[in-house]
Amino acid sequence: QVQLVESGGGLVQAGDSLRLSCTASGRTFSTSNMAWFRQTPGKERERVARIRWIDGSTYYADSVKDRFTISRDKAKNTVYLQMDNLKPEDTAVYYCAAGPTPVTYNYWGQGTQVTVSS
């Protein structure tokens, strides 16, 4: 089992920045890919960024490209999502996820709310 604990959400204004953190514990060797998803009521869950643990290669959704940055700290088993120039449409519950492939995620965090006011 892998446990994921997120932190860093909050209420900000448009144009502000936030950094989300996700710390993994347990059988972390099975989590070769980690990602951030977001979801708002009535919409499908969207994968916004992904990082491959071994080499740090990344993926970004077009909606966040050039504004969000995903990174990892191997020593701390932690993945970060730096969110800059936030927009009201970024408002969502953000979830950290981990899994064996870029498209398969077996473990999920509890979610953290990000609210961006205009």
Side-chain angles (χ1 to χ4, degrees):
Q1 289 293 328
V2 174
Q3 293 78 42
L4 302 175
V5 179
E6 302 139 338
S7 62
L11 171 63
V12 297
Q13 294 186 330
D16 285 350
S17 298
L18 273 178
R19 188 176 79 159
L20 306 182
S21 300
C22 173
T23 299
S25 60
R27 298 168 61 90
T28 56
F29 57 83
S30 65
T31 59
S32 57
N33 291 270
M34 295 189 73
W36 288 95
F37 288 76
R38 67 185 181 186
Q39 189 164 28
T40 55
K43 291 188 178 180
E44 289 190 6
R45 186 166 50 194
E46 176 188 20
R47 185 181 59 171
V48 297
R50 185 265 302 159
I51 190 164
R52 192 175 174 208
W53 199 256
I54 190 169
D55 61 6
S57 61
T58 57
Y59 155 88
Y60 296 96
D62 287 343
S63 56
V64 306
K65 202 170 291 183
D66 299 326
R67 298 189 298 120
F68 289 12
T69 304
I70 190 170
S71 62
R72 84 244 192 266
D73 184 327
K74 287 186 174 182
K76 296 181 178 180
N77 277 341
T78 298
V79 172
Y80 303 98
L81 186 68
Q82 177 67 39
M83 305 184 292
D84 297 321
N85 190 21
L86 282 161
K87 304 177 180 180
E89 51 264 41
D90 295 318
T91 295
V93 177
Y94 284 71
Y95 297 91
C96 175
T101 78
V103 295
T104 304
Y105 296 93
N106 308 104
Y107 304 102
W108 295 83
Q110 79 282 3
T112 186
Q113 177 71 47
V114 172
T115 303
V116 185
S117 64
S118 57

